[in-house]
Amino acid sequence: METGRPAAGPNRFSGGRTRVAACTALALAAGMLLAAPAAHADDAPVPLPSVERPVPGAGEQQPTSTLKRSPAKRGAISAQDEGAPLAAPRSDVNGDGWSDLISQGLDGSVWVHTFDGNNPSVLGLHDPYDGTSAHVHKDIFSVAGLRSDGPVHFTLSSTGRLTAFANDTTYPSAYWSGTGWQQFNKVFSPGDLTGDGVGDVLARNHAGELFLYRATPGASAPLASKAGIGGGWAQYDQLAGVNDVNNDGIADLFARTPAGELFFYSGTGNASRPFEARVKVGDGWQIFNTLFSLDDFTEDGNAELMARAANGDLYTYVSTGTGKFLPRTKFGSDWHFRNQFANAGNIPAWGKNEVFGVDGSGTLWWYYDRNNGTLAPRQKISDTGGWKGAKITVASSLNDDSYADLLQIYNGHLYNYDIDNAPYDLGGGWGQFDTVLGAGDLSGDGKGDLVTRNSAGELFLHRGNGNGTGFASKLRVGSGWGQFNVLTGAGDISGDGRGDLIARARDGRLYLYEGTGVSSAPFRAKKLIGSGWGQFGRFAVVSDMTGDGRADLLARASDGTMYRYDADGRGNFKPRVKLGPGWNTYSSLF
C-alpha cells in the first residue's frame, strides 16, 4: 500500500500528538469498529473539525496520605535488632534515607511523594530515545545501589525500550537504553537478591518463566545478561517485590493469584536460587487492584506492603518480620488517579482510558475512566453534528505515546489524523474491508497493529511500524470470521499481558481469542465466554477501568443501560456492574 500525505484541505481534522493540545491524540481510544461500512469511490468528503480533548484526570482531587515521617535521617533512630542490615530504599529521590512514592498520573505525568512536609512534585522522566513529544511510560521502577548519586529510575515503553535515568529531584537524566523488553509482561526490582548491596531486576515472560538481571555498578550497561530462575510464575497476576521484610537485608517477594491467594517468597541471597519455597499468607487479596511496597518507612527494618482498593483507598500492611502482617491501616484516598506505581506488582494496562460516543446528530462526546470502575461526566468535544456520516475507527497505541490514533476511511484510503497535525495517507485498498479494528500489539514486537476482515470472512493482520505512519503487507490469518457480527479488542482480557480479541456470534455467544504474540497465528483457539450476549447492541472495550491492569468490557442493552464486565484474569468476566441508563443517545460507541 502506497503511503504519503495528502494536500491539506478545508474542514480536515487537525490532530497532533503534543500534550500541549490537551492530549489531542487520545481521541477515540476504544480500538474497535463495529461492522463499519466499506468506503466507496463516490463517498463525499466528511467535515471533521479539530477536536481538543481535555486531559484525563485534570482538576480531580490529588491523592491524600496520612503518613507522617520522622524528621530524622533514616538510620539514626533504627528500632531493628542490633547488627541486622538495613536494606537501602529503592526510591529515595531526595536523599534523606527514606523511600519515596513514585507514581504515574492518568495523563502520563510522573509524581514523587517524599512525605517530608513538601507537596508532591513532578519527576521529569523524559525519555530522549523515544522521539515523541508526548509520552506515557508503560511501567516504572527504581533500583538502589547502582550509582552514588541516588537510585536509578527505569522506564519501560510499550515497544520494549528500557531506559535508565540518573537520579535528580526534578529532572533525572537518561544515560542508557536497551530494547527487546517487550518479551516480558512484567519487569521490576524487588531489591538486592544477591547480597552485594545493589538492587537487582526480575523479568517474567508470557510463558511464566522468571529471569534475574543482576545490577552492574560502574559498567556501561546497568544490567548483566539474564539468568533463568524457574517457571510456573504465570499463575500470579501480581508480583510485588518488597526489598526486605524479615530483617536479613535480602529482598523478598509477595505473589498473588487472580483468586486472591497471597504467597510469601523469602529471599535467599543466592543468585541461582533466589527464593525459598513459598508460604501462603492468606486469602481475600483480590479486593486490591495493585500491590507494591514502600521500603521501611517505620524504620523497623521491614518494608511495608501497600495495597490499593478499587475505590482508590490505599492501605498499609506492616510486616511482622515473618512474612505475615499486622492489621492494615488506611494510608490515604483518591489514589485511583494514578495508573501505575513504581515497582508495582500488576501487569500494566496500555492504550486506552476513555469512551467516546457519537450521538444521532453526529456530535462527539468524551468520557474518561477514573480508574475506579466509573466514568467521569461526559464532555462535548466537537461542533454539533461535526462527525455525522464519517467512517471512522481507532487503533490502540500505534506509536509509543499510549494515545489511540483516529483513523478515517475515505475513497478507499485510510487516513491517520494524529500525525503532525494533519491527515496522513496510509494508502489505498482499505475499502475492501467491512471491519477495521486496532487491538494493540498482536505480533509480539510491542508495536500497535490493525486487524481487518473482508466480506468473505477472511481475517488479516497489518503489523504497525511503531510510528502510526505505515503497516507491513497484510497477513491472512484466518477464514470463517463472517460468523461474527461483533469484533472488538483494546487490551488484555486473559491476564497474560497480550492483546486479545472478543467476538460475538450471530446466536449471541461471546468468544475470547487470546493473543499469542506470533504474527502468522496471532490468536489461540476461541474460548466460549458465555451466551445471551445478543441482548446488547453496542460494545466498547476499555483497556482497564478498574485499575487492575486487565481490559474491561462495556455493553449497552436495548433499553440504553450500560453495564461493565470486569476481566477476572483467567479469560472470563466477573458479574456485571450497572453503570447507568441513557446510553441509547449514541449511534456509535468507541
Side-chain angles (χ1 to χ4, degrees):
M1 296 180 181
E2 296 297 325
T3 63
R5 189 180 304 285
N11 298 318
R12 285 290 189 181
F13 167 79
S14 177
R17 293 189 176 278
T18 63
R19 200 163 297 156
V20 174
C23 288
T24 296
L26 277 163
L28 302 178
M32 77 170 188
L33 178 64
L34 299 180
H40 300 284
D42 57 355
D43 285 344
V46 178
L48 299 177
S50 176
V51 173
E52 296 242 344
R53 273 135 297 194
V55 176
E60 296 279 9
Q61 175 70 39
Q62 277 282 348
T64 63
S65 169
T66 59
L67 175 63
K68 297 292 187 288
R69 255 187 197 152
S70 167
K73 188 174 180 66
R74 181 174 179 264
I77 55 171
S78 177
Q80 63 178 340
D81 295 337
E82 184 178 354
L86 192 65
R90 290 169 290 177
S91 55
D92 177 18
V93 174
N94 62 0
D96 64 358
W98 300 98
S99 182
D100 303 317
L101 196 160
I102 299 173
S103 61
Q104 182 170 251
L106 299 182
D107 62 352
S109 57
V110 178
W111 293 83
V112 58
H113 292 247
T114 57
F115 309 109
D116 57 1
N118 294 318
N119 291 326
S121 59
V122 173
L123 192 63
L125 295 176
H126 303 303
D127 188 346
Y129 303 103
D130 71 6
T132 63
S133 57
H135 181 79
V136 176
H137 306 298
K138 187 171 184 179
D139 215 344
I140 307 169
F141 62 92
S142 298
V143 176
L146 259 173
R147 294 170 60 101
S148 60
D149 53 1
V152 171
H153 309 292
F154 287 85
T155 63
L156 180 65
S157 75
S158 66
T159 53
R161 185 184 57 258
L162 190 67
T163 302
F165 294 80
N167 183 58
D168 184 85
T169 57
T170 306
Y171 294 110
S173 57
Y175 70 93
W176 173 87
S177 184
T179 58
W181 293 81
Q182 75 278 2
Q183 65 184 287
F184 303 112
N185 61 20
K186 189 61 192 176
V187 184
F188 65 104
S189 173
D192 175 20
L193 287 172
T194 60
D196 60 0
V198 181
D200 302 299
V201 172
L202 292 176
R204 181 184 62 184
N205 65 18
H206 297 85
E209 298 171 301
L210 199 63
F211 297 88
L212 172 66
Y213 286 85
R214 296 191 65 168
T216 54
S220 57
L223 302 174
S225 299
K226 68 181 181 183
I229 57 175
W233 294 87
Q235 64 183 300
Y236 301 119
D237 66 347
Q238 298 265 345
L239 295 176
V242 289
N243 205 32
D244 179 23
V245 296
N246 53 11
N247 280 305
D248 62 1
I250 302 299
D252 304 308
L253 181 70
F254 287 96
R256 190 194 71 179
T257 67
E261 297 174 293
L262 189 69
F263 295 93
F264 173 62
Y265 288 85
S266 177
T268 66
N270 183 346
S272 62
R273 190 182 65 86
F275 298 111
E276 301 283 1
R278 72 180 189 179
V279 176
K280 187 172 182 178
V281 176
D283 298 293
W285 290 80
Q286 73 276 11
I287 65 174
F288 300 115
N289 57 29
T290 302
L291 301 177
F292 64 99
S293 177
L294 282 179
D295 298 340
D296 188 24
F297 58 77
T298 61
E299 204 170 20
D300 61 358
N302 301 317
E304 286 72 39
L305 185 67
M306 312 298 293
R308 185 182 65 181
N311 66 355
D313 288 344
L314 192 60
Y315 294 91
T316 303
Y317 285 86
V318 174
S319 175
T320 64
T322 62
K324 300 288 186 178
F325 300 105
L326 299 175
R328 74 182 188 184
T329 58
K330 188 173 179 179
F331 180 91
S333 303
D334 297 314
W335 288 90
H336 55 282
F337 294 115
R338 296 292 185 257
N339 66 19
Q340 192 65 6
F341 295 91
N343 277 313
N346 63 294
I347 298 174
W350 180 258
K352 184 187 187 305
N353 66 346
E354 301 163 287
V355 176
F356 283 72
V358 180
D359 67 19
S361 72
T363 304
L364 188 63
W365 299 85
W366 177 82
Y367 303 78
Y368 71 86
D369 88 72
R370 303 173 80 220
N371 211 34
N372 64 354
T374 69
L375 296 169
R378 73 175 189 172
Q379 299 185 48
K380 182 181 176 181
I381 59 170
S382 80
D383 294 335
T384 300
W387 291 77
K388 191 174 183 64
K391 297 181 177 71
I392 59 176
T393 186
V394 295
S396 179
S397 300
L398 286 179
N399 78 343
D400 209 14
D401 64 5
S402 134
Y403 306 149
D405 293 49
L406 172 62
L407 307 176
Q408 181 195 17
I409 298 175
Y410 171 67
N411 278 343
H413 281 240
L414 187 67
Y415 293 92
N416 187 341
Y417 289 88
D418 292 317
I419 303 295
D420 298 333
N421 297 312
Y424 190 95
D425 188 353
L426 294 170
W430 296 86
Q432 65 183 291
F433 304 118
D434 64 17
T435 299
V436 178
L437 66 94
D441 171 33
L442 296 173
S443 62
D445 61 1
K447 302 172 183 177
D449 306 314
L450 292 183
V451 172
T452 59
R453 181 185 66 183
N454 63 18
S455 58
E458 296 176 298
L459 202 69
F460 300 89
L461 175 66
H462 305 255
R463 293 167 294 168
N465 65 2
N467 298 315
T469 58
F471 299 91
S473 299
K474 66 182 181 183
L475 293 175
R476 183 179 180 274
V477 294
S479 60
W481 290 80
Q483 64 182 297
F484 301 115
N485 56 16
V486 170
L487 295 176
T488 183
D492 172 27
I493 299 291
S494 64
D496 64 357
R498 288 194 172 111
D500 303 316
L501 193 67
I502 291 176
R504 186 185 67 183
R506 301 184 188 280
D507 63 2
R509 296 189 181 191
L510 199 68
Y511 296 92
L512 172 67
Y513 285 85
E514 295 185 40
T516 65
V518 179
S519 57
S520 59
F523 303 110
R524 302 187 192 280
K526 66 183 180 183
K527 173 184 177 181
L528 178 65
I529 294 176
S531 58
W533 291 82
Q535 64 181 296
F536 299 113
R538 295 289 178 184
F539 293 86
V541 176
V542 184
S543 65
D544 181 19
M545 279 195 68
T546 57
D548 60 4
R550 297 188 288 263
D552 305 308
L553 178 66
L554 297 180
R556 187 187 70 184
S558 58
D559 65 356
T561 302
M562 183 73 85
Y563 296 93
R564 189 188 81 234
Y565 288 85
D566 301 335
D568 66 0
R570 292 167 287 185
N572 294 298
F573 291 111
K574 300 175 184 178
R576 71 185 187 183
V577 176
K578 183 178 179 180
L579 292 185
W583 289 83
N584 51 5
T585 188
Y586 300 114
S587 58
S588 299
L589 286 168
F590 303 91

PDB file of all heavy atoms in Angstrom, residues 266-291:
ATOM      1  N   SER A 266      10.602 -15.825  50.539  1.00  0.00           N
ATOM      2  CA  SER A 266      11.731 -15.224  51.248  1.00  0.00           C
ATOM      3  C   SER A 266      12.986 -15.301  50.390  1.00  0.00           C
ATOM      4  O   SER A 266      13.301 -16.344  49.810  1.00  0.00           O
ATOM      5  CB  SER A 266      11.962 -15.964  52.571  1.00  0.00           C
ATOM      6  OG  SER A 266      13.094 -15.431  53.244  1.00  0.00           O
ATOM      7  N   GLY A 267      13.718 -14.186  50.308  1.00  0.00           N
ATOM      8  CA  GLY A 267      14.955 -14.173  49.541  1.00  0.00           C
ATOM      9  C   GLY A 267      16.061 -14.956  50.213  1.00  0.00           C
ATOM     10  O   GLY A 267      16.173 -14.981  51.447  1.00  0.00           O
ATOM     11  N   THR A 268      16.914 -15.597  49.392  1.00  0.00           N
ATOM     12  CA  THR A 268      17.997 -16.427  49.916  1.00  0.00           C
ATOM     13  C   THR A 268      19.360 -15.747  49.857  1.00  0.00           C
ATOM     14  O   THR A 268      20.283 -16.133  50.582  1.00  0.00           O
ATOM     15  CB  THR A 268      18.095 -17.741  49.125  1.00  0.00           C
ATOM     16  OG1 THR A 268      18.485 -17.445  47.771  1.00  0.00           O
ATOM     17  CG2 THR A 268      16.768 -18.484  49.138  1.00  0.00           C
ATOM     18  N   GLY A 269      19.515 -14.764  48.943  1.00  0.00           N
ATOM     19  CA  GLY A 269      20.826 -14.181  48.693  1.00  0.00           C
ATOM     20  C   GLY A 269      21.652 -14.965  47.696  1.00  0.00           C
ATOM     21  O   GLY A 269      22.770 -14.588  47.358  1.00  0.00           O
ATOM     22  N   ASN A 270      21.093 -16.059  47.166  1.00  0.00           N
ATOM     23  CA  ASN A 270      21.771 -16.926  46.198  1.00  0.00           C
ATOM     24  C   ASN A 270      21.200 -16.652  44.813  1.00  0.00           C
ATOM     25  O   ASN A 270      20.016 -16.876  44.561  1.00  0.00           O
ATOM     26  CB  ASN A 270      21.548 -18.393  46.588  1.00  0.00           C
ATOM     27  CG  ASN A 270      22.282 -19.356  45.682  1.00  0.00           C
ATOM     28  OD1 ASN A 270      22.759 -19.000  44.604  1.00  0.00           O
ATOM     29  ND2 ASN A 270      22.386 -20.603  46.109  1.00  0.00           N
ATOM     30  N   ALA A 271      22.051 -16.181  43.898  1.00  0.00           N
ATOM     31  CA  ALA A 271      21.572 -15.794  42.573  1.00  0.00           C
ATOM     32  C   ALA A 271      20.988 -16.963  41.793  1.00  0.00           C
ATOM     33  O   ALA A 271      20.081 -16.784  40.984  1.00  0.00           O
ATOM     34  CB  ALA A 271      22.713 -15.162  41.770  1.00  0.00           C
ATOM     35  N   SER A 272      21.494 -18.163  41.999  1.00  0.00           N
ATOM     36  CA  SER A 272      20.989 -19.316  41.258  1.00  0.00           C
ATOM     37  C   SER A 272      19.678 -19.848  41.824  1.00  0.00           C
ATOM     38  O   SER A 272      18.928 -20.537  41.134  1.00  0.00           O
ATOM     39  CB  SER A 272      22.034 -20.439  41.251  1.00  0.00           C
ATOM     40  OG  SER A 272      22.314 -20.887  42.570  1.00  0.00           O
ATOM     41  N   ARG A 273      19.410 -19.536  43.087  1.00  0.00           N
ATOM     42  CA  ARG A 273      18.149 -19.936  43.722  1.00  0.00           C
ATOM     43  C   ARG A 273      17.726 -18.815  44.662  1.00  0.00           C
ATOM     44  O   ARG A 273      17.879 -18.893  45.878  1.00  0.00           O
ATOM     45  CB  ARG A 273      18.324 -21.248  44.491  1.00  0.00           C
ATOM     46  CG  ARG A 273      17.006 -21.862  44.993  1.00  0.00           C
ATOM     47  CD  ARG A 273      17.284 -23.137  45.795  1.00  0.00           C
ATOM     48  NE  ARG A 273      18.026 -22.866  47.017  1.00  0.00           N
ATOM     49  CZ  ARG A 273      17.444 -22.508  48.184  1.00  0.00           C
ATOM     50  NH1 ARG A 273      16.140 -22.372  48.261  1.00  0.00           N
ATOM     51  NH2 ARG A 273      18.195 -22.300  49.256  1.00  0.00           N
ATOM     52  N   PRO A 274      17.165 -17.740  44.102  1.00  0.00           N
ATOM     53  CA  PRO A 274      16.974 -16.527  44.899  1.00  0.00           C
ATOM     54  C   PRO A 274      15.846 -16.582  45.918  1.00  0.00           C
ATOM     55  O   PRO A 274      15.777 -15.700  46.781  1.00  0.00           O
ATOM     56  CB  PRO A 274      16.700 -15.454  43.838  1.00  0.00           C
ATOM     57  CG  PRO A 274      16.200 -16.200  42.664  1.00  0.00           C
ATOM     58  CD  PRO A 274      16.870 -17.528  42.671  1.00  0.00           C
ATOM     59  N   PHE A 275      14.957 -17.605  45.846  1.00  0.00           N
ATOM     60  CA  PHE A 275      13.832 -17.629  46.769  1.00  0.00           C
ATOM     61  C   PHE A 275      13.672 -18.991  47.430  1.00  0.00           C
ATOM     62  O   PHE A 275      13.905 -20.037  46.812  1.00  0.00           O
ATOM     63  CB  PHE A 275      12.522 -17.275  46.052  1.00  0.00           C
ATOM     64  CG  PHE A 275      12.508 -15.889  45.468  1.00  0.00           C
ATOM     65  CD1 PHE A 275      12.515 -15.693  44.091  1.00  0.00           C
ATOM     66  CD2 PHE A 275      12.488 -14.781  46.305  1.00  0.00           C
ATOM     67  CE1 PHE A 275      12.499 -14.422  43.557  1.00  0.00           C
ATOM     68  CE2 PHE A 275      12.480 -13.497  45.779  1.00  0.00           C
ATOM     69  CZ  PHE A 275      12.488 -13.316  44.407  1.00  0.00           C
ATOM     70  N   GLU A 276      13.252 -18.949  48.694  1.00  0.00           N
ATOM     71  CA  GLU A 276      12.833 -20.158  49.391  1.00  0.00           C
ATOM     72  C   GLU A 276      11.464 -20.597  48.856  1.00  0.00           C
ATOM     73  O   GLU A 276      10.818 -19.878  48.087  1.00  0.00           O
ATOM     74  CB  GLU A 276      12.728 -19.884  50.907  1.00  0.00           C
ATOM     75  CG  GLU A 276      13.997 -19.411  51.559  1.00  0.00           C
ATOM     76  CD  GLU A 276      14.998 -20.537  51.802  1.00  0.00           C
ATOM     77  OE1 GLU A 276      14.686 -21.700  51.437  1.00  0.00           O
ATOM     78  OE2 GLU A 276      16.081 -20.260  52.348  1.00  0.00           O
ATOM     79  N   ALA A 277      11.025 -21.784  49.248  1.00  0.00           N
ATOM     80  CA  ALA A 277       9.699 -22.251  48.876  1.00  0.00           C
ATOM     81  C   ALA A 277       8.642 -21.284  49.408  1.00  0.00           C
ATOM     82  O   ALA A 277       8.800 -20.681  50.473  1.00  0.00           O
ATOM     83  CB  ALA A 277       9.450 -23.658  49.417  1.00  0.00           C
ATOM     84  N   ARG A 278       7.570 -21.152  48.666  1.00  0.00           N
ATOM     85  CA  ARG A 278       6.544 -20.182  49.025  1.00  0.00           C
ATOM     86  C   ARG A 278       5.797 -20.603  50.294  1.00  0.00           C
ATOM     87  O   ARG A 278       5.664 -21.792  50.608  1.00  0.00           O
ATOM     88  CB  ARG A 278       5.550 -20.008  47.882  1.00  0.00           C
ATOM     89  CG  ARG A 278       4.611 -21.179  47.660  1.00  0.00           C
ATOM     90  CD  ARG A 278       3.665 -20.899  46.501  1.00  0.00           C
ATOM     91  NE  ARG A 278       2.625 -21.932  46.409  1.00  0.00           N
ATOM     92  CZ  ARG A 278       1.648 -21.926  45.501  1.00  0.00           C
ATOM     93  NH1 ARG A 278       1.586 -20.957  44.596  1.00  0.00           N
ATOM     94  NH2 ARG A 278       0.738 -22.887  45.491  1.00  0.00           N
ATOM     95  N   VAL A 279       5.301 -19.596  50.994  1.00  0.00           N
ATOM     96  CA  VAL A 279       4.481 -19.792  52.185  1.00  0.00           C
ATOM     97  C   VAL A 279       3.205 -18.985  51.998  1.00  0.00           C
ATOM     98  O   VAL A 279       3.264 -17.779  51.676  1.00  0.00           O
ATOM     99  CB  VAL A 279       5.215 -19.331  53.460  1.00  0.00           C
ATOM    100  CG1 VAL A 279       4.293 -19.449  54.672  1.00  0.00           C
ATOM    101  CG2 VAL A 279       6.490 -20.132  53.662  1.00  0.00           C
ATOM    102  N   LYS A 280       2.069 -19.604  52.194  1.00  0.00           N
ATOM    103  CA  LYS A 280       0.806 -18.900  51.996  1.00  0.00           C
ATOM    104  C   LYS A 280       0.557 -17.919  53.136  1.00  0.00           C
ATOM    105  O   LYS A 280       0.663 -18.264  54.315  1.00  0.00           O
ATOM    106  CB  LYS A 280      -0.357 -19.880  51.893  1.00  0.00           C
ATOM    107  CG  LYS A 280      -1.671 -19.203  51.517  1.00  0.00           C
ATOM    108  CD  LYS A 280      -2.773 -20.209  51.224  1.00  0.00           C
ATOM    109  CE  LYS A 280      -4.057 -19.511  50.814  1.00  0.00           C
ATOM    110  NZ  LYS A 280      -5.138 -20.460  50.467  1.00  0.00           N
ATOM    111  N   VAL A 281       0.224 -16.681  52.759  1.00  0.00           N
ATOM    112  CA  VAL A 281      -0.065 -15.639  53.737  1.00  0.00           C
ATOM    113  C   VAL A 281      -1.548 -15.609  54.080  1.00  0.00           C
ATOM    114  O   VAL A 281      -1.933 -15.459  55.238  1.00  0.00           O
ATOM    115  CB  VAL A 281       0.384 -14.264  53.205  1.00  0.00           C
ATOM    116  CG1 VAL A 281      -0.006 -13.152  54.170  1.00  0.00           C
ATOM    117  CG2 VAL A 281       1.881 -14.254  52.943  1.00  0.00           C
ATOM    118  N   GLY A 282      -2.404 -15.751  53.043  1.00  0.00           N
ATOM    119  CA  GLY A 282      -3.833 -15.687  53.300  1.00  0.00           C
ATOM    120  C   GLY A 282      -4.625 -15.560  52.018  1.00  0.00           C
ATOM    121  O   GLY A 282      -4.078 -15.559  50.912  1.00  0.00           O
ATOM    122  N   ASP A 283      -5.948 -15.441  52.170  1.00  0.00           N
ATOM    123  CA  ASP A 283      -6.875 -15.309  51.057  1.00  0.00           C
ATOM    124  C   ASP A 283      -7.533 -13.931  51.091  1.00  0.00           C
ATOM    125  O   ASP A 283      -7.359 -13.161  52.040  1.00  0.00           O
ATOM    126  CB  ASP A 283      -7.950 -16.404  51.128  1.00  0.00           C
ATOM    127  CG  ASP A 283      -7.377 -17.803  51.010  1.00  0.00           C
ATOM    128  OD1 ASP A 283      -6.872 -18.128  49.921  1.00  0.00           O
ATOM    129  OD2 ASP A 283      -7.446 -18.565  51.993  1.00  0.00           O
ATOM    130  N   GLY A 284      -8.317 -13.647  50.053  1.00  0.00           N
ATOM    131  CA  GLY A 284      -9.105 -12.420  50.029  1.00  0.00           C
ATOM    132  C   GLY A 284      -8.397 -11.211  49.470  1.00  0.00           C
ATOM    133  O   GLY A 284      -8.956 -10.104  49.473  1.00  0.00           O
ATOM    134  N   TRP A 285      -7.198 -11.369  48.961  1.00  0.00           N
ATOM    135  CA  TRP A 285      -6.419 -10.232  48.465  1.00  0.00           C
ATOM    136  C   TRP A 285      -6.861  -9.757  47.081  1.00  0.00           C
ATOM    137  O   TRP A 285      -6.333  -8.769  46.570  1.00  0.00           O
ATOM    138  CB  TRP A 285      -4.930 -10.583  48.468  1.00  0.00           C
ATOM    139  CG  TRP A 285      -4.375 -10.689  49.853  1.00  0.00           C
ATOM    140  CD1 TRP A 285      -4.486 -11.749  50.706  1.00  0.00           C
ATOM    141  CD2 TRP A 285      -3.643  -9.683  50.555  1.00  0.00           C
ATOM    142  NE1 TRP A 285      -3.867 -11.477  51.899  1.00  0.00           N
ATOM    143  CE2 TRP A 285      -3.332 -10.208  51.837  1.00  0.00           C
ATOM    144  CE3 TRP A 285      -3.213  -8.399  50.239  1.00  0.00           C
ATOM    145  CZ2 TRP A 285      -2.616  -9.489  52.786  1.00  0.00           C
ATOM    146  CZ3 TRP A 285      -2.495  -7.680  51.189  1.00  0.00           C
ATOM    147  CH2 TRP A 285      -2.208  -8.218  52.436  1.00  0.00           C
ATOM    148  N   GLN A 286      -7.874 -10.412  46.478  1.00  0.00           N
ATOM    149  CA  GLN A 286      -8.382  -9.964  45.190  1.00  0.00           C
ATOM    150  C   GLN A 286      -9.156  -8.652  45.313  1.00  0.00           C
ATOM    151  O   GLN A 286      -9.501  -8.035  44.289  1.00  0.00           O
ATOM    152  CB  GLN A 286      -9.260 -11.037  44.550  1.00  0.00           C
ATOM    153  CG  GLN A 286     -10.632 -11.221  45.182  1.00  0.00           C
ATOM    154  CD  GLN A 286     -10.623 -12.142  46.387  1.00  0.00           C
ATOM    155  OE1 GLN A 286      -9.563 -12.500  46.897  1.00  0.00           O
ATOM    156  NE2 GLN A 286     -11.802 -12.549  46.828  1.00  0.00           N
ATOM    157  N   ILE A 287      -9.431  -8.194  46.523  1.00  0.00           N
ATOM    158  CA  ILE A 287     -10.125  -6.920  46.684  1.00  0.00           C
ATOM    159  C   ILE A 287      -9.233  -5.746  46.305  1.00  0.00           C
ATOM    160  O   ILE A 287      -9.714  -4.624  46.155  1.00  0.00           O
ATOM    161  CB  ILE A 287     -10.632  -6.737  48.130  1.00  0.00           C
ATOM    162  CG1 ILE A 287      -9.463  -6.650  49.115  1.00  0.00           C
ATOM    163  CG2 ILE A 287     -11.588  -7.866  48.509  1.00  0.00           C
ATOM    164  CD1 ILE A 287      -9.883  -6.318  50.536  1.00  0.00           C
ATOM    165  N   PHE A 288      -7.931  -6.000  46.126  1.00  0.00           N
ATOM    166  CA  PHE A 288      -6.999  -4.941  45.759  1.00  0.00           C
ATOM    167  C   PHE A 288      -6.613  -5.084  44.286  1.00  0.00           C
ATOM    168  O   PHE A 288      -6.415  -6.183  43.787  1.00  0.00           O
ATOM    169  CB  PHE A 288      -5.746  -5.000  46.629  1.00  0.00           C
ATOM    170  CG  PHE A 288      -6.033  -4.852  48.101  1.00  0.00           C
ATOM    171  CD1 PHE A 288      -5.789  -5.905  48.971  1.00  0.00           C
ATOM    172  CD2 PHE A 288      -6.551  -3.675  48.602  1.00  0.00           C
ATOM    173  CE1 PHE A 288      -6.044  -5.773  50.331  1.00  0.00           C
ATOM    174  CE2 PHE A 288      -6.806  -3.535  49.954  1.00  0.00           C
ATOM    175  CZ  PHE A 288      -6.568  -4.586  50.820  1.00  0.00           C
ATOM    176  N   ASN A 289      -6.498  -3.926  43.611  1.00  0.00           N
ATOM    177  CA  ASN A 289      -6.109  -3.965  42.200  1.00  0.00           C
ATOM    178  C   ASN A 289      -4.618  -3.769  41.988  1.00  0.00           C
ATOM    179  O   ASN A 289      -4.113  -4.019  40.884  1.00  0.00           O
ATOM    180  CB  ASN A 289      -6.905  -2.949  41.376  1.00  0.00           C
ATOM    181  CG  ASN A 289      -6.771  -1.526  41.894  1.00  0.00           C
ATOM    182  OD1 ASN A 289      -5.765  -1.147  42.482  1.00  0.00           O
ATOM    183  ND2 ASN A 289      -7.809  -0.720  41.664  1.00  0.00           N
ATOM    184  N   THR A 290      -3.906  -3.330  43.014  1.00  0.00           N
ATOM    185  CA  THR A 290      -2.460  -3.109  42.889  1.00  0.00           C
ATOM    186  C   THR A 290      -1.783  -3.374  44.231  1.00  0.00           C
ATOM    187  O   THR A 290      -2.267  -2.927  45.273  1.00  0.00           O
ATOM    188  CB  THR A 290      -2.148  -1.657  42.462  1.00  0.00           C
ATOM    189  OG1 THR A 290      -2.791  -1.371  41.228  1.00  0.00           O
ATOM    190  CG2 THR A 290      -0.651  -1.461  42.278  1.00  0.00           C
ATOM    191  N   LEU A 291      -0.651  -4.075  44.171  1.00  0.00           N
ATOM    192  CA  LEU A 291       0.209  -4.269  45.335  1.00  0.00           C
ATOM    193  C   LEU A 291       1.596  -3.710  45.011  1.00  0.00           C
ATOM    194  O   LEU A 291       2.123  -3.922  43.916  1.00  0.00           O
ATOM    195  CB  LEU A 291       0.336  -5.759  45.689  1.00  0.00           C
ATOM    196  CG  LEU A 291      -0.946  -6.524  46.014  1.00  0.00           C
ATOM    197  CD1 LEU A 291      -0.629  -7.996  46.257  1.00  0.00           C
ATOM    198  CD2 LEU A 291      -1.652  -5.929  47.218  1.00  0.00           C
TER     199      LEU A 291
END
